[in-house]
Amino acid sequence: MSRSDLRALFHSNSRELKAVDVFTDREDEWAAVIRSLENLTAATGAPDFDVNDLESPRRNVLVFYGVGGIGKSALSREIAEQLAGQPDGPSQWSTPDPPLARTVPVRIDLARQAGVDFESVVLAVRLALTALGRPMPAFDLALRRYWEHNHPGEPVEEHLRGYATSNRAARSLSSQMQSVLADVAQALGFPATIGALMGKGLRTLVRTLRDRKRHGLALAECHRLPDLLEADPNLDVLSYCAHLLAWDLAHLPREHAATPVVLLDTFEDVSDRGQRDHERLIQRMVWLMPNALFVITGRNRLQWDDERLEGQLDWVGTRCWPLTAVGATEEPRQHLVGHLSRDDCESYLANRLSRDGKPVIPPEIREVIAHRSRGLPLYLDLAVMRFLSLYQRSGDVPRPEEFNHDFTALVARAFRDLTTEERHVARAVSLLDSFSVPLAAAAAGLSQEGPVLRLIERPVVDSDQGAVRPHRLHDLVRSAILEADSTGADRWSPADWQRAAQRAFDALGREWRASSRTADRRLLVDCLLQGLRLARDFDLDLAWLVDAAFAYVQDCVWEPVVLPPPSVQVPDDPVAQDNPAAALAVALTAIAGRQRGHRRSAAERLRVVVDSGRLPVELAELPRYFLAECDRDLGNFAESLAGMRWVVDHGRRLAPSATRGLLHLSRRLGHFRQARALCEALGAEGRGHRASGEIWWPHGHMTRACASFAHGREEALRRGEHGEAALAQACLAFAAAFQDRHRADEQIERAERMLAGAAIRWAELQVRIAQLLRNAGDGDDLPAEATAVAAEAKGSGLTSSVAYAWLALCFHMAVLDSGGGVEAARARLREHVNGAEFAYLLEISHMMTGTAPPADLPLADWVDGAAAAGARWRQLVLDRRQEMTAVRGS
């Protein structure tokens, strides 16, 4: 349904401009209403339903909550109109099949400025029920008693005529109440009607109701009516009278039966956290009317499931309200109202302003607004008004870049319901991508966590209990606070932001150091990312980030480390981005990114960091070492050798890794004796077991190589280095695949499981090559598979993996005893021999077939001689050939 948008119309002189309010989407919310009504009517229609049961848990509250401007009030209005059968409702809302049982909707806005008190709520519900055409005798008697006591001299009928939405409803209620009084007067033998429910008339009525055997008064079956009529008729008693209304509804004839749907909007205005008197009365009404559905909309999640509120509210805890608890799946329950989809944003903007039936806002501007809005209707509305303002000011259609804009109104709306302390915490956590309660308190500089606990219950905070840090400020609210928080009376100065950033940074460091003993990888990455961004944006000293960076690279897991563009520009003090933290972020991004892209791209970025000289001396080796690794993978032998030697010569943290790098370079040249000497100096801490296995498999010593890789895997697991363990396991699968197909299956499967939680591209390809080796001698599709693996390796800049793929194809052809096939595979391998580099692999291909290598081929320095190595390789080929012959024969 669309209505004229007067605010937009009064921003333009154009008579052709058509401005309408647009209601979009909310199909899931409407479906929740339907399911809630279906479940409630099924429960109240069951034979065992008893309206007098005041102890059973209640399942009659449906809640929609979310930040201001999300469209909750519009949703409440549309639900009420849809249930009332208004035409032209949202076209996307489905019609229930079968149709819903009869409902009586009544919507009440509880906003403070509307002046709605509890008495008004009760009257509104009772007036709506006049549509049923039947009196509510028990409730009407209690209401008459209450009114006469609290509004002497003001007839209830006159008040209702001024209060009701229509005179017809007021007249109907007055007539129904008079009918009840007449029936009671007749039963009691009074003339006409009871003039006033006071004095002798009230005492007689109560005595008659208690003496259920006399007069045959049907109301005598309402056991609690006499007590309510005798009680002091104040607001508390009026709230308990909701039970009488429920009793009356339950005793209506079937043809008049209906389910009241009470829609309470702006509920945050009655759920003040310090004073819950109004909320207690409403909750009492909800509890005492289990045959009515209450649809509550507001900014905050309903807290009735929280047992800590005992004493402030009458019924609390999940025993009383099981469907209000977090994780409830049955309807009715609590729903965080989500944001509009991209398509819905487009539809909203296209229909909000039109001329001659066509959208006024151009598509390119709609796209920018939709992207920046993150689906928040309030942002869309503010952007539409900005479009009109800019258009009116210049007379030209605004440019799309003029809508890269945040609005101070968003901050004002988000902060409107927060206390001063909560606003202080919200600003502090806006510096963080996600936060825990202790981290938020530390960032805000608080000694108590109370304000944080209150803030996380607000809809401006999203929570995910499965995340490393379970809470995060809503993206758009966070962005608005960071970029547009400049008009509030309690706004922060640049110095305030700087101090908060330092507190948050220090707290992250303390959390990481406290968790480092448990090797919590997810927390390490979270601290690293958030700490890097704070240090970069606020030019902080790296401090604990130095140790965290080395801890990150140590495990070889390589989760992405990609920081967003700088989100904070402190007013009057722009942050310089060419600082050490920015350089470290670039370096770590390149180091992790080499597993997903070409090594050349990572090498270029690392070279920029090295040349910039921005990193402190204790971190200078980090980009140099990984640049040397990239150069090695790219076949830049001299550059890699120089980089590794630089790191070894400086003798810092990565010196053992660089020594291992020199070992790998020696091995690539076939200098195995030299590599073995370097390996013995590494030890277990320097991952010497894996290095040893890399020396023994080229010698055809597969059993010895597998043992070394297995030792390396177990050592890494003992130290909690799961990435290194997965790398060793991939090497183990590769070596085992030459010798034992059954064992290779087990090792490949284990390697795949271990690599599932890591991003190590070389190891992933090594497992793919192990699969080729396991299948060597079997099938015609292996050459195509080897070609595909080699292409993937080349695309990642991994020259060793390309060479190993062609070696696997040589092994396959040797097992098949295909002379032509071996020569073709050997030719592909020869393309990747660069002088002495990888020449040993070509030499191995000749060992497989017992042929002499080319005279011009640089020969390897084999540990126990070429003859011994050649014999082992020839035997591996013969063993596989014999195995495959037996398989084919069977």
Side-chain angles (χ1 to χ4, degrees):
M1 182 179 296
S2 299
R3 302 174 178 85
S4 294
D5 180 6
L6 298 180
R7 186 163 54 122
L9 285 176
F10 279 87
H11 269 69
S12 173
N13 293 326
S14 173
R15 294 185 179 183
E16 291 79 21
L17 178 69
K18 183 180 180 181
V20 296
D21 281 331
V22 180
F23 182 79
T24 312
D25 193 28
R26 305 310 182 202
E27 295 175 66
D28 292 340
E29 286 79 0
W30 172 241
V33 173
I34 293 175
R35 289 195 299 272
S36 299
L37 281 168
E38 290 172 341
N39 292 342
L40 183 64
T41 53
T44 56
D48 59 347
F49 175 75
D50 182 5
V51 75
N52 292 305
D53 179 2
L54 302 183
E55 298 179 358
S56 296
R58 293 306 195 245
R59 294 175 168 82
N60 61 331
V61 185
L62 176 62
V63 181
F64 297 112
Y65 69 101
V67 296
I70 199 66
K72 302 178 299 297
S73 293
L75 172 64
S76 179
R77 285 193 299 270
E78 292 294 340
I79 292 172
E81 292 178 1
Q82 190 82 350
L83 292 176
Q86 294 286 342
D88 302 324
S91 59
Q92 69 271 27
W93 283 9
S94 60
T95 301
D97 185 18
L100 293 171
R102 185 181 182 185
T103 62
V104 178
V106 51
R107 181 178 180 273
I108 305 167
D109 188 348
L110 299 172
R112 290 189 180 97
Q113 59 267 31
V116 177
D117 57 12
F118 181 69
E119 181 183 282
S120 302
V121 171
V122 174
L123 290 175
V125 174
R126 179 61 188 95
L127 277 168
L129 293 175
T130 60
L132 299 179
R134 298 284 297 188
M136 302 289 149
F139 178 80
D140 288 348
L141 282 174
L143 178 61
R144 182 73 177 229
R145 162 77 172 137
Y146 166 85
W147 197 265
E148 290 175 351
H149 185 274
N150 291 281
H151 299 273
E154 182 186 2
V156 65
E157 293 85 355
E158 293 299 323
H159 179 86
L160 290 174
R161 286 191 184 98
Y163 177 83
T165 55
S166 71
N167 288 331
R168 181 180 178 183
R171 288 195 300 270
S172 295
L173 180 53
S174 176
S175 173
Q176 290 171 13
M177 292 181 72
Q178 291 298 330
S179 172
V180 171
L181 292 172
D183 289 346
V184 171
Q186 182 179 2
L188 296 178
F190 282 20
T193 62
I194 298 178
L197 287 176
M198 302 176 71
K200 181 181 177 181
L202 176 64
R203 289 193 297 271
T204 302
L205 175 57
V206 170
R207 186 170 58 250
T208 302
L209 291 172
R210 292 193 188 281
D211 187 2
R212 297 169 55 194
K213 296 181 180 179
R214 297 178 60 192
H215 300 288
L217 194 61
L219 283 174
E221 297 300 321
C222 185
H223 302 161
R224 295 180 175 90
L225 176 58
D227 297 290
L228 288 170
L229 290 175
E230 282 186 317
D232 185 18
N234 52 31
L235 274 180
D236 253 9
V237 172
L238 183 62
S239 68
Y240 285 113
C241 289
H243 165 69
L244 304 179
L245 197 54
W247 188 89
D248 287 327
L249 287 166
H251 289 81
L252 285 174
R254 182 180 297 275
E255 63 270 18
H256 292 283
T259 300
V261 180
V262 184
L263 297 107
L264 301 174
D265 191 29
T266 328
F267 198 77
E268 66 272 9
D269 279 12
V270 302
S271 59
D272 187 289
R273 313 250 166 147
Q275 196 74 18
R276 294 183 181 267
D277 293 343
H278 197 175
E279 183 180 8
R280 183 171 64 252
L281 297 174
I282 290 179
Q283 190 208 53
R284 193 175 293 159
M285 184 180 190
V286 175
W287 182 270
L288 297 175
M289 295 185 68
N291 49 355
L293 177 65
F294 289 81
V295 181
I296 293 176
T297 47
R299 284 191 175 84
N300 304 315
R301 182 181 174 277
L302 205 62
Q303 294 181 294
W304 296 355
D305 61 321
D306 190 344
E307 294 183 358
R308 293 174 298 179
L309 296 182
E310 187 172 2
Q312 297 184 61
L313 299 174
D314 293 347
W315 291 275
V316 294
T318 55
R319 191 202 68 79
C320 296
W321 310 95
L323 301 186
T324 63
V326 174
T329 56
E330 183 185 343
E331 297 292 359
R333 58 189 175 91
Q334 303 211 54
H335 294 260
L336 177 62
V337 180
H339 300 83
L340 302 180
S341 68
R342 193 63 172 269
D343 289 342
D344 290 323
C345 290
E346 164 67 22
S347 174
Y348 182 100
L349 294 168
N351 290 291
R352 181 66 186 278
L353 296 176
S354 62
R355 181 182 286 113
D356 299 328
K358 297 180 180 179
V360 172
I361 304 176
E364 59 273 16
I365 294 180
R366 298 202 300 266
E367 183 177 355
V368 172
I369 295 174
H371 173 73
R372 289 190 65 82
S373 74
R374 297 177 177 89
L376 186 64
L378 174 60
Y379 185 98
L380 299 175
D381 186 49
L382 292 170
V384 168
M385 302 311 297
R386 177 173 173 79
F387 178 90
L388 284 172
S389 177
L390 293 172
Y391 183 75
Q392 182 185 34
R393 190 184 309 160
S394 66
D396 296 324
V397 174
R399 300 185 308 276
E401 54 268 25
E402 292 182 88
F403 291 87
N404 289 322
H405 184 75
D406 282 309
F407 298 96
T408 56
L410 282 172
V411 181
R413 184 69 68 91
F415 278 8
R416 187 169 69 182
D417 300 317
L418 304 185
T419 65
T420 301
E421 285 185 321
E422 289 169 355
R423 290 198 296 271
H424 180 76
V425 176
R427 288 188 173 96
V429 298
S430 71
L431 295 169
L432 298 165
D433 301 319
S434 59
F435 63 92
S436 61
V437 171
L439 178 60
L446 300 177
S447 58
Q448 295 179 325
E449 295 179 346
V452 184
L453 294 173
R454 293 194 296 273
L455 179 69
I456 63 176
E457 294 174 354
R458 303 286 195 175
V460 296
V461 175
D462 298 328
S463 296
D464 177 3
Q465 297 303 321
V468 178
R469 301 188 193 281
H471 312 293
R472 57 178 295 140
L473 203 61
H474 183 277
D475 286 342
L476 191 57
V477 174
R478 180 186 177 201
S479 172
I481 291 174
L482 289 172
E483 298 183 22
D485 183 24
S486 58
T487 60
D490 58 349
R491 62 187 180 275
W492 280 3
S493 70
D496 291 330
W497 285 106
Q498 187 72 25
R499 284 190 291 269
Q502 187 68 62
R503 288 194 301 265
F505 179 81
D506 293 342
L508 286 166
R510 289 192 297 271
E511 283 199 9
W512 171 66
R513 291 196 186 281
S515 70
S516 59
R517 293 185 298 273
T518 63
D520 189 332
R521 183 74 184 179
R522 292 199 307 160
L523 186 62
L524 163 64
V525 174
D526 181 84
C527 289
L528 189 61
L529 283 169
Q530 299 212 63
L532 273 172
R533 189 177 53 76
L534 287 169
R536 180 197 65 184
D537 292 350
F538 289 90
D539 202 20
L540 305 179
D541 185 79
L542 293 182
W544 59 271
L545 282 175
V546 173
D547 291 336
F550 280 110
Y552 170 77
V553 301
Q554 181 180 11
D555 199 19
C556 305
V557 175
W558 312 127
E559 306 93 330
V561 179
V562 180
L563 298 187
S567 58
V568 177
Q569 292 294 327
V570 179
D572 303 321
D573 184 22
V575 177
Q577 290 304 310
D578 57 346
N579 55 25
L584 178 57
V586 172
L588 292 179
T589 300
I591 291 169
R594 68 205 170 103
Q595 302 297 333
R596 297 168 178 80
H598 199 284
R599 290 304 204 263
R600 185 172 293 106
S601 176
E604 290 170 356
R605 300 184 73 182
L606 289 170
R607 194 167 282 110
V608 168
V609 175
V610 169
D611 293 342
S612 73
R614 287 287 178 186
L615 290 179
V617 63
E618 62 267 30
L619 274 169
E621 63 178 327
L622 190 67
R624 285 186 180 272
Y625 170 75
F626 285 99
L627 175 58
E629 274 207 349
C630 288
D631 279 330
R632 182 188 67 201
D633 293 334
L634 293 168
N636 302 328
F637 181 82
E639 291 86 345
S640 179
L641 186 63
M644 293 294 183
R645 282 177 176 164
W646 187 96
V647 176
V648 170
D649 291 345
H650 283 73
R652 294 185 179 276
R653 301 193 200 200
L654 293 179
S657 297
T659 300
R660 192 172 60 254
L662 292 175
L663 183 155
H664 288 316
L665 290 170
S666 297
R667 181 175 55 80
R668 287 166 80 116
L669 294 175
H671 299 166
F672 291 112
R673 294 178 190 270
Q674 179 182 348
R676 189 180 182 192
L678 289 169
C679 182
E680 291 173 353
L682 284 174
E685 294 297 324
R687 300 168 182 171
H689 289 304
R690 177 159 65 87
S692 177
E694 293 280 13
I695 292 172
W696 290 121
W697 80 255
H699 286 75
H701 261 311
M702 298 308 170
T703 301
R704 195 168 182 177
C706 288
S708 295
F709 289 135
H711 283 309
R713 178 195 63 206
E714 297 307 312
E715 283 284 348
L717 290 174
R718 183 181 60 80
R719 293 194 298 269
E721 297 174 358
H722 298 286
E724 170 60 25
L727 195 55
Q729 179 61 34
C731 294
L732 173 54
F734 173 83
F738 279 107
Q739 189 175 38
D740 188 331
R741 298 180 75 208
H742 177 69
R743 186 185 184 196
D745 283 333
E746 298 173 354
Q747 300 303 339
I748 289 170
E749 182 181 353
R750 182 170 183 178
E752 289 173 337
R753 287 199 309 269
M754 295 179 72
L755 285 168
I760 309 175
R761 186 60 176 149
W762 184 88
E764 293 169 355
L765 288 169
Q766 197 75 340
V767 175
R768 293 277 303 280
I769 297 167
Q771 293 169 338
L772 295 176
L773 291 168
R774 176 198 58 194
N775 297 330
D778 182 25
D780 299 327
D781 53 354
L782 196 143
E785 293 173 5
T787 301
V789 172
E792 288 186 34
K794 186 176 181 181
S796 297
L798 292 169
T799 54
S800 62
S801 297
V802 176
Y804 292 163
W806 297 133
L807 181 68
L809 184 57
C810 290
F811 184 65
H812 170 68
M813 293 300 178
V815 171
L816 293 177
D817 198 16
S818 170
V822 171
E823 283 304 317
R826 197 175 280 155
R828 304 297 296 273
L829 177 58
R830 188 179 294 113
E831 295 174 5
H832 294 274
V833 173
N834 181 20
E837 190 177 14
F838 294 130
Y840 76 96
L841 294 177
L842 194 57
E843 188 176 355
I844 288 174
S845 74
H846 284 278
M847 290 178 176
M848 291 176 181
T849 57
T851 57
D856 60 344
L857 184 70
L859 300 181
D861 182 18
W862 303 100
V863 171
D864 57 352
R872 286 189 290 269
W873 277 110
R874 183 61 179 159
Q875 190 60 48
L876 287 170
V877 170
L878 294 175
D879 290 344
R880 176 64 62 87
R881 187 181 297 165
Q882 182 177 359
E883 179 183 1
M884 299 314 299
T885 300
V887 168
R888 285 190 288 270
S890 62

